[in-house]
Amino acid sequence: MFTQLLELATAPHGVDRFLELVRPTWAADDTRARVVAATRETPDVVTLTLRPGRGWARGRAGQHVRLGVEIDGRRHTRCFSLASSEHRTDGLVEVTVKANPDGIVSRHLVATAAPGLVVALGAPEGDFTLPATRPDRLVLVSGGSGITPVMALLRTLVDEGHDRPITFLHYARTPADVIYADELAALGRTHPQLDVHVVTTRGAGTGALTGRFCAAHLEAVVPDLGGAEAYACGPVGLVDAALAHWEQAGAIDRLHVERYSLVAAPSDGAGERASGEGSTGARTHFAGSDVTVTSVGTTLLEQAEAAGLTPAFGCRVGICRTCTRTKVSGRVRDVRSGTVSGSGEEPIQLCVSAPCHDVVVDL
Ligand SMILES: Cc1cc2nc3c(=O)[nH]c(=O)nc-3n(C[C@H](O)[C@H](O)[C@H](O)COP(=O)(O)OP(=O)(O)OC[C@H]3O[C@@H](n4cnc5c(N)ncnc54)[C@H](O)[C@@H]3O)c2cc1C
Ligand code: FES
C-alpha cells in the first residue's frame, strides 16, 4: 500500500489517484462518487447508482452532470443526465448510459462498470427542468437514451404524488431496447393519470403506433396540446420533429428540449463577410503541436482529431468546457449561433468553433 501511495503521488494525476486510495470518494479538484450498483437495463445500457462524496449538491430532475472516468490511464469526461428522482432520500443518484458503438466512455462503462468503481462527478447543470408550480398538463416525449432526463421528471412527479394528466410517448428501436420497460409499464398500471405509450421504430412493435415520432402519433395520444407543458429529448430527428410540430401548433414556448448532439446553425457567411474573411480554405495552426491543417468547414475539435491530435473533450456540444483552449489569433465562428469572434487572443471551445480564416490555437 505504501509503495502504491508513493508511486501514485508522484505520477501524473498523482494527487487524485493518491486521494482516491486514501479516501476513494474525495479528491482535490472535484467531487468523487462511488458506484454502488450497476444494473444492465438492456444489452447495451447500464444504470449506475452512485453515492456522491461530501459537498456534492443534489441537482434538479432533468439536469445533467459531467462524469469523469479513467480509462487506460487517461481521464475522460462525458455528460450524463440524472435519471433519478430529485426527491430520492438515500443520498444516491442514478445515471443511465447507452453504449455508442464508436464511443470510448459509454462502451467502457456498459462493458465494465461494477460496484466499487470511483468516478468524478461535476455539479448538476442545465435548465431542462420542471417549473416550481407543476403544470396541470404534461406531455413527455423521448427516444432511445433520451429517456433518462424525462424519466427523472416523471419519477420526481410520481414521488410528489402529482395527480394531473401526464402523457409519456417513448420511442425505441425494438421492445428489447426499451430502457426502464418494466418500471414504465408498472407506473402506467398503477397511476391512472399517467398515459404511457411505448413505440418501436423497427419491426412490428407491440402497441397501436409504430415508426418514428410524427405529428400523427402526437395527435393520436394528445388530441389537444392546449396549455400542456412539454419536454422532449432524443435523437436529432425526434427533437427537430417535435420542435416543428410545436412551432406549427403555436405552442413552441411550452416545449422544452434537451439535445445530446451538436446542431449547427446554417452559415450564410454573413459573419465572415462582415469581418472581411472567408469560411473555407482557412489554415489552422495548432501551435503546441506544430501542426497546420486546411479548413474544410468543420469544428476545430474535428480538425484536430482528423490531424491525429487528441485534445480532451467531454460533451462535444459546447456545454462542458472540457475542450477550452486559447485562440492566439484569428477569428472563429460559433457553429451554434453563427457569432464570429474577435481576432485577438481569447479562450474558445474547440468543439463549437470553426475557423473563419487563418487561426492559431494553443494546442
Ligand atoms: C447534456 C447531455 C446529456 C447526456 N445524457 C446522456 C445520458 O443520460 N445517457 C447517455 O447514454 N448519453 C448521454 N449523453 C451522451 C454522452 O455524453 C456521450 O456523448 C455518449 O455516451 C458517447 O460517449 P463516448 O465516450 O462513448 O463516445 P465518444 O468517444 O465521445 O465518441 C462519440 C462520437 O464522437 C466522435 N469522435 C470521438 N472521438 C473522435 C475522434 N478522435 N475523431 C473523430 N471523431 C471522434 C465519433 O463520431 C463518436 O461516434 C448526454 C450528452 C449530453 C450533451
Ligand atoms: S467538449 Fe464540452 S464544451 Fe467542448
Side-chain angles (χ1 to χ4, degrees):
M1 174 78 163
F2 177 75
T3 322
Q4 251 181 316
L5 291 176
L6 193 66
E7 273 171 12
L8 290 173
T10 51
H13 298 302
V15 174
D16 276 3
R17 298 288 308 281
F18 179 82
L19 290 169
E20 207 172 277
L21 261 192
V22 177
R23 191 172 170 194
T25 53
W26 191 90
D29 58 350
D30 50 27
T31 302
R32 292 286 169 132
R34 182 186 289 280
V35 173
V36 298
T39 310
R40 266 67 200 178
E41 303 276 357
T42 72
D44 62 354
V45 175
V46 66
T47 290
L48 306 181
T49 307
L50 304 167
R51 181 177 296 287
R54 249 193 317 181
W56 190 81
R58 169 177 294 280
R60 295 175 62 196
Q63 290 191 302
H64 60 266
V65 288
R66 279 172 291 111
L67 187 144
V69 59
E70 199 167 298
I71 304 171
D72 297 333
R74 184 172 177 189
R75 166 87 71 85
H76 297 268
T77 303
R78 299 289 184 268
C79 294
F80 293 101
S81 300
L82 295 170
S84 39
S85 164
E86 67 185 46
H87 301 301
R88 198 163 167 157
T89 54
D90 55 9
L92 304 177
V93 290
E94 283 178 12
V95 296
T96 296
V97 180
K98 181 177 169 63
N100 175 331
D102 304 321
I104 297 172
V105 174
S106 59
R107 269 195 316 135
H108 175 82
L109 289 174
V110 169
T112 68
L117 173 70
V118 175
V119 298
L121 204 61
E125 294 175 87
D127 54 9
F128 188 71
T129 52
L130 293 164
T133 304
R134 304 310 196 205
D136 284 334
R137 180 83 179 90
L138 274 154
V139 177
L140 309 176
V141 182
S142 60
S145 61
I147 194 171
T148 56
V150 179
M151 197 65 182
L153 302 179
L154 181 62
R155 286 169 167 166
T156 297
L157 291 162
V158 166
D159 281 353
E160 290 172 0
H162 188 84
D163 59 1
R164 283 153 280 163
I166 304 172
T167 303
F168 194 159
L169 188 52
H170 176 64
Y171 291 78
R173 276 177 305 191
T174 70
D177 293 308
V178 180
I179 305 172
Y180 316 131
D182 292 346
E183 184 179 349
L184 278 178
L187 286 173
R189 277 195 306 273
T190 51
H191 293 75
Q193 84 286 7
L194 176 61
D195 187 22
V196 178
H197 299 267
V198 175
V199 185
T200 49
T201 54
R202 287 187 198 163
T206 54
L209 306 172
T210 52
R212 293 177 189 277
F213 172 80
C214 59
H217 284 184
L218 196 62
E219 278 154 15
V221 298
V222 192
D224 178 15
L225 278 181
E229 210 66 24
Y231 291 80
C233 181
V236 174
L238 182 147
V239 172
D240 285 349
L243 284 166
H245 182 77
W246 261 267
E247 177 84 57
Q248 207 172 21
I252 194 72
D253 292 349
R254 290 196 297 276
L255 176 65
H256 311 260
V257 299
E258 178 79 321
R259 291 186 186 271
Y260 289 174
S261 42
L262 185 62
V263 176
S267 170
D268 60 2
E272 289 90 332
R273 281 196 299 277
S275 62
E277 296 176 335
S279 56
T280 52
R283 279 180 313 154
T284 303
H285 182 57
F286 295 111
S289 322
D290 199 18
V291 168
T292 303
V293 296
T294 302
S295 176
V296 288
T298 54
T299 64
L300 287 168
L301 177 62
E302 291 166 316
Q303 290 187 17
E305 288 172 340
L309 305 181
T310 54
F313 68 86
C315 64
R316 300 180 81 90
V317 297
I319 56 179
C320 75
R321 298 175 292 280
T322 306
C323 66
T324 301
R325 290 290 180 152
T326 301
K327 168 177 67 65
V328 180
S329 63
R331 293 182 198 276
V332 295
R333 182 172 59 86
D334 185 319
V335 297
R336 298 165 299 178
S337 61
T339 310
V340 174
S341 75
S343 59
E345 183 171 312
E346 61 186 322
I348 54 165
Q349 290 157 288
L350 301 181
C351 71
V352 291
S353 301
C356 295
H357 201 253
D358 292 357
V359 170
V360 178
V361 180
D362 182 16
L363 174 69

